[in-house]
Structure formats: C-alpha cells, structure tokens
Amino acid sequence: MTTKRRPLFRFTLTAFAYAIPKKNISTRLSNFLPLMVFAILAFCEPTFALLNIDTSYDGQYRGQPAYEKLLADLPFVYQESMQRIQTALGVPIPDRTRVVVVFSDHLTHNGMRLRGKRRSIEDAKGNLHYIYLDLEFLVNGHATLQEEMTHELTHAIMAESMGLAKYDALPMWVKEGTAVHAADQGLARIKALLRRGVNLAAIGTEDEAGVDNPISLEKYVENYLKVQFLLKSYGQNALSQFIKRILVSGDTRRELAASFNGLTEDIMNHYAHDFIARTLIANSRPLAARESLARGMRFFEEHEYHSARLALEESIDAGLTDSEYQKAAYLLGECFIQERNPEAAFTILQRVKPDPRSIPVDRYAFLNAYTQYAMGLVTEAYFGFKVAFEGSTSPAVKEGALYYIVRILIELENNDEAGRILGMLRTGYPQSAYLPLATAAFASRNRP
C-alpha cells in the first residue's frame, strides 16, 4: 500500500504541514542565482562549455566551503562578467572564447603579489586564455570573484577579438584602463592608493612595464583615469567606438583621432594629467555622510555595484537621518547581493525598517527572502517570497518571487505544487527571464 505525499507547501497556506529538511548551505549557495537578468546566459550551453576550471588545485583551501562556493559561482560569474564587459565597453563578445581558470594560494610574478593574471597562448584550435586567481584575496574578502574575473576576461576578450600580437602591442593605458573600468575597480584602487600615499608629481605620461609584466598601483589608477577622462569628456558612444575601432586596427593614435575629434595621444596625456590630479585630490577629501550616500546612489544607478558598495559603507557610519540611513542600508544590501555575498546582505537588511517613504517595501521583502533562502532559512524564505508576490504590483518582483517559490518547492520534492506555481509564472509572465530558469530547474528535479 502506498500513501500519497502530503504537500509541504501550498501557495495559499499560512503554515507548514511538516518540518522543513535543511540542505547544506554551501549546496544551496551553489544553486543560488544572482538577481541580474542576464544570469539566464549561464544556461547557454555552447558558451558555457568554453569555460574550463583546472581541477589540479590541491592547496590549503581545497574542500573548504568558501572554495566550494567559488567553484559553484564561477560559471555564473563568467557569464555575468561577459555581460559586464559588453555593457561597459560596448564591444561584442567573440563566440568561442576558450578560458581556463587556475586557482593559486600565492600568485606572484617577478616577485610581485598579484590578485589575478591572464596569460594567452595559441594552439591548434586557436587562442586559449588562462586566468590565474589568488584564493587568499578571494576567500578573505579583499577581492570579489566578479571583479577579478571581469578584469582578466577583459584582457582575454580584447586579445581574442584582435589577436594576441596586436593586443600585446597596445599601450598599457588602453589594456589596463579598460580592464579596471569594465571590472568597476576604479574607486577601490584610488582609495588603496590614497591610503598608501601618492605623489601627484610622480603621475607621468610614460608607459610602464613590458609584455606580461605587472604594473604599479599608481599606473593602474592612472590608466583607469585616462579611460575615465575620455568617457567623461566625450561620452559612452565615443569611447565604445574607439574600442571597437582599435580592436580592428590596433592603431591607438589613428583611432584616438577618429573617435575623439582629432585628439592626439600627447594632448590626451596633457589634459588627462590634470583630470587625474583633480580626481585624486577630490577623493582624498573626507566626504560627509550625505555626500557619500549621493555618490553611492549615483554608482548604483550606473550599475557599478562595487563602487556603490564602498561609498554606501562610508555613508552609513554617521550623519544620516533615519530615512537616509534606511535608503543607504537597503541599497547596500542590493550591492552585497550583486557581489554574491548573501551573508552580508542578510545582516544589513535586518537593520532596515520597511518604510515605504524611504524604500520600496515589496522589493525589500523580496531581497530579504532572497538572502534567507541563500542561507538555508527555507521556511522564512518561502513566506517572504509569498509576501513579496502578494504585496507588489511590480512584475519584476512578482515573477522573481514565483521563480524562487518554484525552486523551494522543488527542493522540498513538492513537485505538484511546483508545477502549479510554474504554470502561474508561465501564464502571468510569458516573457519573463526567470521562466527558462524555472523550467530548467523543474525539468531537472528528478535528476541525481
């Protein structure tokens, strides 16, 4: 005799019928998808197969939850980084870019400690791009997987597009400036340089380092700010045109003139030097809390979540009104989620009062449930997503809530109810970016 499994959840229930089995948190995190819509790209199999991870790593972090989470996140971060590069630089992504990621406990080059490094070679199948990442920086929180992968992938994508020899011949300000810009590392490196101390007179126009040699922090900042000078002076379209043209010709001088109204490299260096000095001086001045909040909000609107997080963290220390604090903490939670740090997001969101005068309370409910799910608090997450769905008029919140409810129900092996909610998602939001993800999750529910 068999008995029919009683549903653990129905979408209209207000209580659980059974205790909820807890899964290993690192396992849940490995399935935890980012809020960005373009996470759907992670399921594009032809591109997905071109990312390879070197499994020979046997260092001190092997087997640790932090390392396992990095491995689980990597395919999704890879796709997010590709999208970030395409958005920031306005360049197409080559279809078959082969990448191998190699982890290290202590990455150095010529005696200098590195957070990441790219090395490209040519074999019988074309170009192969190795990305080396130092785990100490990632595991200890001194760098995020997103920023390091985006930085090194920028080098790989541009080298793939124009050829290795042409790319190596580019001036360092083009190579490193675009990588720091695409990875949203500019503010962090400026702050690091200012903490260490900088001599403005030492900011020069000469290039630094040969092929495959690391460059100094000063040069990283200088190269980044040269790209920012072009962006702020001429706009995103002109910068994207310059990068696209240089990927074809490799001729920096010619493409500067063609893209920026006859600009020469000497003139650019002259005016960029002034821009660099003014930017560093402005960043050395302590900002009031409200200034930092405004800065963080601006970065957030520009989707530069790493820089937004740094500014928002400074803003919440002191000097904000209660309403401003709520706004800063809410946005900071969003930034942590974008950086795949749900633990930090969970902590900061507990300090937020869901006041509609300061923040969108439906979005807050969704984010709070999102972090709870990531941390294994399935009961709370289910009801949080239910509240978000029922209390929102935003399609983005409602379809996202339905998607995660499907995920929770699948975990609980309540397939009938998961199928019903998937039907609600399919009927109510047929164009939703979550729909392929939910469908794929439902289709794989019986796989080992």
Side-chain angles (χ1 to χ4, degrees):
M1 177 178 178
T2 59
T3 57
K4 186 176 181 180
R5 179 187 289 269
R6 184 180 177 187
L8 297 184
F9 277 136
R10 279 206 49 93
F11 195 51
T12 55
L13 284 184
T14 57
F16 286 102
Y18 296 131
I20 305 302
K22 300 292 185 182
K23 286 194 174 184
N24 180 278
I25 289 179
S26 65
T27 301
R28 178 165 288 106
L29 287 171
S30 73
N31 294 323
F32 191 46
L33 298 175
L35 291 176
M36 303 178 193
V37 169
F38 50 74
I40 190 172
L41 296 176
F43 288 85
C44 298
E45 200 164 312
T47 304
F48 194 78
L50 299 181
L51 170 66
N52 297 279
I53 302 172
D54 179 15
T55 58
S56 65
Y57 171 74
D58 196 27
Q60 62 178 319
Y61 300 105
R62 187 175 183 85
Q64 292 190 15
Y67 173 66
E68 297 300 325
K69 182 178 184 299
L70 288 171
L71 289 179
D73 281 348
L74 191 52
F76 302 106
V77 170
Y78 171 75
Q79 296 292 347
E80 292 161 17
S81 296
M82 292 292 198
Q83 181 68 29
R84 174 67 192 170
I85 293 165
Q86 192 170 34
T87 301
L89 302 183
V91 298
I93 303 298
D95 288 337
R96 300 193 62 80
T97 304
R98 295 186 298 148
V99 173
V100 179
V101 177
V102 183
F103 289 106
S104 169
D105 284 349
H106 195 84
L107 183 62
T108 62
H109 187 83
N110 291 345
M112 183 179 291
R113 187 72 182 272
L114 302 176
R115 301 195 310 189
K117 181 175 175 58
R118 182 268 325 178
R119 183 175 67 89
S120 300
I121 63 171
E122 189 172 356
D123 63 16
K125 296 181 180 179
N127 298 323
L128 183 60
H129 308 279
Y130 289 90
I131 291 178
Y132 301 87
L133 299 175
D134 190 310
L135 280 169
E136 183 176 332
F137 289 96
L138 298 175
V139 170
N140 293 334
H142 299 304
T144 68
L145 183 61
Q146 181 72 70
E147 61 173 308
E148 294 306 315
M149 279 295 291
T150 304
H151 183 110
E152 303 305 335
L153 275 173
T154 301
H155 293 309
I157 291 304
M158 292 181 69
E160 181 71 22
S161 298
M162 65 190 302
L164 304 186
K166 272 188 179 180
Y167 183 71
D168 288 341
L170 288 178
M172 196 64 70
W173 72 264
V174 174
K175 291 187 288 189
E176 293 300 342
T178 53
V180 174
H181 169 61
D184 183 23
Q185 294 173 310
L187 181 59
R189 298 207 175 191
I190 288 171
K191 287 181 174 295
L193 180 60
L194 292 173
R195 283 195 299 269
R196 199 189 68 186
V198 57
N199 179 4
L200 292 178
I203 301 293
T205 59
E206 73 280 0
D207 215 1
E208 179 179 308
V211 176
D212 289 335
N213 286 327
I215 64 174
S216 64
L217 182 57
E218 286 87 351
K219 278 297 175 182
Y220 271 119
V221 169
E222 182 178 342
N223 295 333
Y224 162 74
L225 288 176
K226 284 183 178 180
V227 171
Q228 288 298 297
F229 165 75
L230 295 175
L231 177 62
K232 303 299 183 186
S233 301
Y234 298 93
Q236 179 66 54
N237 289 340
L239 177 64
S240 296
Q241 179 186 358
F242 167 68
I243 296 171
K244 286 177 183 177
R245 292 178 66 99
I246 209 170
L247 290 179
V248 175
S249 72
D251 190 331
T252 305
R253 292 181 179 274
R254 188 179 82 188
E255 307 312 345
L256 273 173
S259 303
F260 304 113
N261 304 324
L263 183 68
T264 68
E265 198 162 12
D266 288 341
I267 293 175
M268 184 203 71
N269 286 331
H270 174 76
Y271 285 106
H273 184 278
D274 219 28
F275 175 80
I276 292 166
R278 285 187 283 108
T279 302
L280 291 175
I281 291 170
N283 278 276
S284 66
R285 178 178 65 85
L287 297 181
R290 287 180 180 175
E291 288 181 284
S292 291
L293 173 58
R295 191 183 200 190
M297 291 172 65
R298 185 177 71 252
F299 282 127
F300 188 89
E301 289 298 319
E302 295 170 351
H303 306 294
E304 296 189 348
Y305 300 110
H306 186 52
S307 294
R309 192 251 297 170
L310 295 175
L312 291 167
E313 284 178 326
E314 291 182 350
S315 75
I316 64 174
D317 288 339
L320 295 178
T321 65
D322 182 65
S323 175
E324 290 167 336
Y325 178 87
Q326 300 306 317
K327 185 176 295 185
Y330 164 76
L331 291 177
L332 185 55
E334 287 254 28
C335 290
F336 280 128
I337 287 173
Q338 297 292 352
E339 291 186 336
R340 293 180 167 270
N341 188 349
E343 297 88 351
F346 176 84
T347 300
I348 193 67
L349 287 174
Q350 303 315 299
R351 297 157 66 180
V352 174
K353 301 172 185 176
D355 186 339
R357 295 171 298 179
S358 304
I359 63 171
V361 293
D362 58 340
R363 178 71 173 174
Y364 166 78
F366 178 84
L367 293 179
N368 203 38
Y370 185 83
T371 59
Q372 289 169 335
Y373 174 62
M375 296 180 65
L377 303 174
V378 181
T379 304
E380 294 85 346
Y382 172 81
F383 286 115
F385 286 126
K386 183 174 183 293
V387 167
F389 176 85
E390 294 174 343
S392 180
T393 59
S394 165
V397 170
K398 293 176 80 70
E399 65 192 65
L402 288 177
Y403 166 69
Y404 283 104
I405 288 171
V406 171
R407 290 290 298 267
I408 290 172
L409 292 169
I410 290 171
E411 284 192 20
L412 298 173
E413 300 180 9
N414 189 349
N415 295 327
D416 290 343
E417 185 67 2
R420 191 176 75 85
I421 303 304
L422 177 58
M424 290 176 59
L425 178 61
R426 186 177 290 118
T427 301
Y429 308 94
Q431 302 302 317
S432 172
Y434 286 104
L435 187 55
L437 303 178
T439 302
F442 188 74
S444 65
R445 65 195 184 280
N446 294 323
R447 294 176 192 167

